[in-house]
Amino acid sequence: MGPSNSQSDDSAGAESESGREPTTPNWVKIQGIILLVLVLLVLAMLVPALFGVEGGGHGPAAHTPGSRG
Amino acid sequence: MIMTPGFRKFMLTAHVVCSVGWVGALAAFLVLSVAGLISDHAETVRASYVASGLITGFVIVPFALGSLLTGIIEALGTQWGLFRHYWVIFKLAIAVTATLMLLLKTGPISDIADLAAETALSVSDLRGLKFSLAGHAVGGLLILLWAAALAVYKPRGATRCGRRKRQEPPAAPSTVGDRTELR
């Protein structure tokens, strides 16, 4: 997941040369929304697992009534 | 904290190996999941899930944790930093999310592998779980490919932290060893 090579950075992003406060690049906004949705989905799965709440749809036991008791 | 060039190369190699291995092992997992889902042969179904359990425990999870760890070390040890560039933050978030998702799924994967090893798991058994595993494998592959694309394209955009760091005066000459990497 980390930086995996060392090519040119040129990381000014949407920074302007005129000294104004740089804006967040568009790709960050768009991909940020996608990532946020993904993180929320994982949290929705994680919370029931952490607090021992049965999700109702996961695990073989949920699919095989009485077979693993 | 800047790594020596030799150590940086070593960590980069480890990171690439772990990340590529993670993608490859997940692709193999997907093939086995689909085989288990659509095959008409009970033995193939059983073998698929037994193999899936082994691949998950001995390949996917170690590679995922290795990729996450080496990525963090690589970021902290170079001028890229962990929070200086948006693409690095995105890769970190993607890797953490994918790893959490994977760890959440190891339980059900292990369960279905045990079940397949111990009982005659039929073609129609556990259909919902089989779909779920294949679906998560597809989702996992997509977000790993997203991370790979970010690593290759490195889209522009420095965070506030990154801009501040760049405005700071350069560090002492002794740390110049790896400074050429961003040029």
Side-chain angles (χ1 to χ4, degrees):
Chain A
M1 44 70 43
S4 45
N5 67 29
S6 307
Q7 66 187 52
S8 173
D9 171 33
D10 199 10
S11 59
E15 291 176 54
S16 67
E17 297 294 330
S18 59
R20 282 183 295 142
E21 182 69 14
T23 56
T24 307
N26 280 339
W27 76 264
V28 174
K29 294 173 186 167
I30 296 165
Q31 296 192 24
I33 292 170
I34 299 169
L35 189 61
L36 188 66
V37 171
L38 198 66
V39 169
L40 289 177
L41 280 175
V42 171
L43 283 180
M45 289 170 60
L46 193 62
V47 169
L50 283 180
F51 294 99
V53 180
E54 283 298 325
H58 297 285
H63 303 271
T64 52
S67 65
R68 300 206 75 194
Chain B
M1 179 182 72
I2 301 298
M3 294 187 284
T4 61
F7 186 61
R8 193 184 69 79
K9 288 270 185 198
F10 173 76
M11 289 310 300
L12 180 59
T13 305
H15 181 63
V16 170
V17 167
C18 287
S19 303
V20 173
W22 187 2
V23 173
L26 192 54
F29 180 93
L30 174 61
V31 170
L32 290 171
S33 299
V34 172
L37 190 61
I38 64 173
S39 175
D40 292 331
H41 303 285
E43 284 306 309
T44 304
V45 174
R46 290 184 62 191
S48 297
Y49 289 107
V50 172
S52 296
L54 291 172
I55 286 180
T56 303
F58 292 103
V59 186
I60 300 180
V61 170
F63 273 153
L65 296 176
S67 173
L68 186 59
L69 187 68
T70 54
I72 290 172
I73 294 171
E74 179 83 357
L76 289 175
T78 63
Q79 295 262 320
W80 289 106
L82 199 53
F83 299 107
R84 295 183 200 173
H85 302 273
Y86 285 115
W87 72 268
V88 178
I89 296 176
F90 268 71
K91 276 197 78 192
L92 175 66
I94 289 169
V96 169
T97 305
T99 304
L100 278 178
M101 183 86 83
L102 170 65
L103 294 178
L104 276 173
K105 282 288 154 191
T106 50
I109 293 167
S110 172
D111 286 346
I112 196 171
D114 290 345
L115 206 59
E118 292 164 7
T119 63
L121 192 63
S122 78
V123 176
S124 57
D125 281 344
L126 308 174
R127 203 145 186 87
L129 181 60
K130 289 173 180 173
F131 265 114
S132 167
L133 293 183
H136 280 87
V138 171
L141 268 179
L142 287 177
I143 65 170
L144 291 185
L145 292 178
W146 178 14
L150 283 173
V152 171
Y153 286 96
K154 294 182 173 58
R156 290 155 57 112
T159 62
R160 195 182 295 265
C161 166
R163 292 193 297 267
R164 200 170 51 237
K165 283 275 181 192
R166 267 191 308 171
Q167 285 162 4
E168 287 176 2
S174 61
T175 62
V176 165
D178 202 34
R179 195 163 283 273
T180 53
E181 70 173 277
L182 295 181
R183 289 183 191 144

